[in-house]
Amino acid sequence: MKINIKSYPDIINKCISFCERKSFKSYDVFDALNGKVIDSLLKNNILLRRIAIQLNARLPFNIRPLLGIKKLTHTKALSDLLSIYSKLYSQNHEINDRLNANKMFDLLISKRIEVDKGYGWGLNFPYATRFTNASTTTPNLYNTLNTLNSILDFYSVNTEINVKEMIEKVRAFIFDYLGFVEESDDIIWLRYYPNQKDIPTPNVNATAAALFMRINNVIKNELIDINIIWKLLNFLQKTQNEDGSWFYTTTQKGTWVDGFHTGFILEALAVIRYFDKESKFPMVKGMLDKGINFYLKNLFTENYVPKYLNDNTYPVEAQNCAQAIQTLARLKMLVGYNTIGSLSKVVESVVDLLYDKTGYFYYKKTRLITNKQFYMRWSQTPMILALLYAEEAENTKI
């Protein structure tokens, strides 16, 4: 499918209409445990829980109705949609976009998980990996950071919300409930899930540092101690490999390099550099330069298809592709990297491989088959948000 920037609004509008027709609900790639029978049968066996999730995710056909798994409004989809409608309203001032942004905001607030003096957000379905075994009420750092970022997007078009109180609640959740590990006087990393002790994860810590920079800029006050940001950046610098890449974690269980987590880090570093007007964090430019060089050379094919891993193209997967588009767009908008040529070609390749003209993006394409499942939080809303950034980037002059 040949497209250019003039095609973006049509695709975006079709995809949003598709979401609205679905009432913002869908199954999820990793929702196998959302069926009560499977969840209860495998409750005490994390290995079998992981196997059930992966089997369900890999099937090219949908057996969820047979397993009693229901469609949900997923937290991450709602935070994406809050950002999407906020951005659309800031561009066009259409009342329906404002009303939908209000709706997404209210739904997100209703899904908060209160802990001690603060609150955070989680997946809102049971989930297990080699790193954690989470319930429907387990908050985590990633979903909380995305939610607060989307609330800041909403705040840009609705300053009536008490965003400072929300920031204080999230700060209490991150620092008092999740907590951080202090490797030295100058290096810390935040826990992804409650009670984790030995799983330092660069991508989510980069996202946290970027959000803290944004908070201090938006509120015009150092709500987050600048020393916290400095120590997180020292952690990122320490964990960057010589070739410019980062592993998913620094433990033996997580030594792979993938596209979308690398994209998280590069986008976060670009945000930090954009807000660092006084050059308080000079190490960021070096990390960013090395990281971008690795990213462009190793995580795209010669045909501009985002690779899933640095040593494997397949699967061509929607969230990975969405993050690639968003990363390239924001590198251009925030720090002036000349990514436009690559960006337009990546969009074209992704649309050609994964877009259905009825208004949604397929989950993934392997060497042999295309899995055409529709997933709201994993494929649809990340792609809409990424295309909005791509459209903005192509219309932005450096």
Side-chain angles (χ1 to χ4, degrees):
M1 178 181 179
K2 293 292 183 182
I3 70 165
N4 55 42
I5 189 172
K6 294 180 180 178
S7 311
Y8 292 10
D10 180 61
I11 296 173
I12 291 167
N13 290 333
K14 279 187 177 179
C15 287
I16 292 173
S17 295
F18 192 95
C19 294
E20 292 171 350
R21 291 198 303 273
K22 298 293 183 181
S23 301
F24 311 106
K25 294 183 178 182
S26 79
Y27 297 116
D28 191 80
V29 182
F30 302 116
D31 64 1
L33 303 180
N34 204 35
K36 291 183 180 179
V37 174
I38 295 178
D39 186 33
S40 59
L41 283 175
L42 306 182
K43 205 166 196 68
N44 298 316
N45 193 318
I46 192 168
L47 176 60
L48 290 180
R49 289 167 75 80
R50 288 171 53 200
I51 290 172
I53 288 170
Q54 290 302 320
L55 283 175
N56 189 47
R58 292 169 188 266
L59 287 174
F61 46 85
N62 187 18
I63 63 169
R64 290 170 178 82
L66 300 176
L67 301 175
I69 298 170
K70 295 181 180 180
K71 296 178 181 179
L72 297 175
T73 50
H74 296 280
T75 304
K76 175 59 165 53
L78 292 173
S79 63
D80 284 346
L81 286 161
L82 180 56
S83 292
I84 288 163
Y85 283 120
S86 298
K87 287 179 180 298
L88 290 173
Y89 180 72
S90 69
Q91 292 171 6
N92 306 316
H93 297 284
E94 294 285 344
I95 188 63
N96 282 341
D97 292 329
R98 175 63 180 267
L99 293 174
N100 277 312
N102 291 343
K103 180 180 179 180
M104 298 305 114
F105 175 76
D106 290 342
L107 285 170
L108 266 178
I109 295 302
S110 73
K111 289 185 178 294
R112 70 185 184 273
I113 301 167
E114 298 192 8
V115 291
D116 298 335
K117 298 178 181 178
Y119 52 68
W121 283 263
L123 277 173
N124 68 298
F125 59 84
Y127 181 57
T129 70
R130 70 192 77 183
F131 305 114
T132 192
N133 189 21
S135 74
T136 56
T137 58
T138 304
N140 65 63
L141 182 59
Y142 174 72
N143 282 94
T144 301
L145 297 174
N146 278 294
T147 297
L148 189 51
N149 259 317
S150 72
I151 288 173
L152 290 175
D153 288 341
F154 184 51
Y155 180 67
S156 70
V157 296
N158 181 8
T159 56
E160 295 178 4
I161 63 172
N162 191 347
V163 73
K164 190 170 181 179
E165 179 182 343
M166 294 175 200
I167 290 168
E168 294 288 359
K169 293 290 187 181
V170 168
R171 182 169 67 172
F173 163 72
I174 292 174
F175 292 110
D176 299 335
Y177 183 75
L178 283 183
F180 57 82
V181 173
E182 191 168 13
E183 290 193 355
S184 69
D185 289 343
D186 298 321
I187 298 175
I188 65 169
W189 53 268
L190 298 164
R191 294 186 176 93
Y192 194 122
Y193 276 96
N195 303 316
Q196 286 183 329
K197 296 179 180 178
D198 59 353
I199 309 171
T201 310
N203 68 83
V204 76
N205 278 274
T207 304
L211 175 61
F212 298 158
M213 285 288 290
R214 186 182 182 191
I215 286 170
N216 286 348
N217 181 268
V218 169
I219 304 302
K220 305 299 181 187
N221 191 5
E222 196 175 300
L223 286 181
I224 308 297
D225 187 346
I226 194 171
N227 290 317
I228 293 289
I229 301 170
W230 183 272
K231 291 176 181 181
L232 289 172
L233 289 173
N234 285 340
F235 166 70
L236 287 174
Q237 188 173 44
K238 174 195 170 187
T239 54
Q240 187 173 26
N241 298 318
E242 189 61 34
D243 63 5
S245 67
W246 286 269
F247 293 134
Y248 176 76
T249 77
T250 59
T251 68
Q252 288 187 341
K253 293 181 179 180
T255 53
W256 69 80
V257 178
D258 66 74
F260 69 95
H261 289 115
T262 303
F264 289 170
I265 296 173
L266 295 178
E267 182 182 358
L269 291 174
V271 170
I272 293 166
R273 193 165 168 218
Y274 174 78
F275 285 125
D276 186 22
K277 306 300 185 186
E278 298 177 7
S279 299
K280 294 179 179 179
F281 306 110
M283 75 280 271
V284 171
K285 185 180 185 304
M287 282 193 284
L288 199 50
D289 288 343
K290 282 178 66 177
I292 291 170
N293 184 58
F294 175 87
Y295 184 62
L296 295 177
K297 285 184 177 180
N298 296 278
L299 285 162
F300 296 88
T301 70
E302 60 183 14
N303 296 320
Y304 297 93
V305 176
K307 294 168 64 175
Y308 194 76
L309 299 171
N310 66 305
D311 57 0
N312 194 357
T313 299
Y314 292 97
V316 179
E317 198 248 33
Q319 180 168 148
N320 183 54
C321 291
Q323 186 58 48
I325 292 168
Q326 182 164 319
T327 300
L328 293 174
R330 301 206 79 195
L331 286 174
K332 193 257 185 177
M333 288 189 296
L334 295 172
V335 289
Y337 279 90
N338 185 17
T339 59
I340 286 300
S342 299
L343 175 61
S344 60
K345 291 173 182 176
V346 170
V347 172
E348 185 171 342
S349 71
V350 170
V351 169
D352 184 56
L353 291 169
L354 297 179
Y355 180 61
D356 188 292
K357 291 181 181 179
T358 60
Y360 79 100
F361 282 88
Y362 306 143
Y363 165 39
K364 66 180 179 180
K365 181 180 178 62
T366 67
R367 291 182 186 275
L368 300 176
I369 63 170
T370 299
N371 185 324
K372 297 185 177 181
Q373 301 265 18
F374 164 69
Y375 296 122
M376 188 72 72
R377 93 170 166 109
W378 195 262
S379 51
Q380 187 76 348
T381 59
M383 281 301 311
I384 298 170
L385 188 56
L387 288 173
L388 280 171
Y389 277 120
E391 182 181 31
E392 185 179 354
E394 295 216 35
N395 284 322
T396 298
K397 294 181 180 180
I398 299 176

